[in-house]
Amino acid sequence: MMRLAYFAPTPREIPRLGVYRSGKVIDLVENYKYIYRSQPPHWFFDLGEYLENKYAHRIVEDLISIYEKKPSEEPDLVHDENKIIYYPITSSNQRVFCIALNYLSHVQETGRPKPSKPYIFMKPKTALIGHREPILIPKVSSAADHEIELGVVIGLRGKYITKKDAMEHIAGYTIFNDVSFRDWQMRSSEGLGLDWLHGKGMDKSTPVGPYLVSKEEIEDPYKLRLELRVNREIRQIGTTSEMLFSIEDIIEEISKGITLLPGDLIATGTPSGVGHSSKRYLRDGDIIEAEISGLGVLINTVRQER
Ligand code: MG
């Protein structure tokens, strides 16, 4: 029923939650102040706390319905989507879990064996960036690559979640571009496996957004089309129906001994077409558009660190 953006009206202001409606973002903080004449609750500034608070959703729905009945002329209550600063869909205690090799077409292009169970790694939150923020290629890498993925955001905490209950723990979906540094990821590590830390976790490399689309808006998460373009050229196409391990499988696997928290983000794997298979890596100035049906288009330019 809702698309939540994490944004700031200007670079000087604190990031807060807003509701995206056809090219505009309704500022929940300013609407709350305007309608109730008091300071807004702190969970307007933190997605995890918003998702965990049982009254929050209702309060937001009330604010939106008041706003929509009588849109005010007050300039701060709503912003032009093109003028705001998007932040990644993130929260203070968020973890970022990613699954490797979850589409057969991608498994095949890597030449690796098909996995028999989900392989999960983590990305530091400091790697995340928002819609329209530049993807930073650090000066220590010359093999930056794209991976469009369906991002799942947890709404309800849980441990030892079974497949049957997994969907109840989801708040919604977003677009995730699991930007990877192949020269680091694949470098020789003396029998200790791939370098997932630097291979996936460089600062300000991983776009997520533009917004969190609540799960009620997505009729079937396994019928979503993924498409990634570099400078308008299509590089990756897939559908979520191709996943080897379902979202339910992944949630069950991660939550074994680890509590999933509201705001946690799970990247569910990428289809084929990554640059590594054709040795075409990202370059300064490239424009990356990652699009998933129903979730919008996540656009970022690439910037080489000097
Ligand atoms: Mg990936």
Side-chain angles (χ1 to χ4, degrees), residues 98-101 106 121 147-149 176 178 180 200 267-270:
C98 304
I99 176 161
L101 301 181
H106 179 55
F121 63 91
E147 291 188 356
I148 185 173
E149 309 196 7
F176 192 93
D178 177 21
S180 306
K200 297 283 189 174
T268 55
T270 198

Side-chain angles (χ1 to χ4, degrees), residues 35 55 57 92 98 130 136 138 184 200 210 228 264 285 302:
I35 292 165
Y55 304 109
H57 187 68
S92 53
C98 304
L136 187 65
W184 284 79
K200 297 283 189 174
L228 183 136
D264 279 350
V302 174

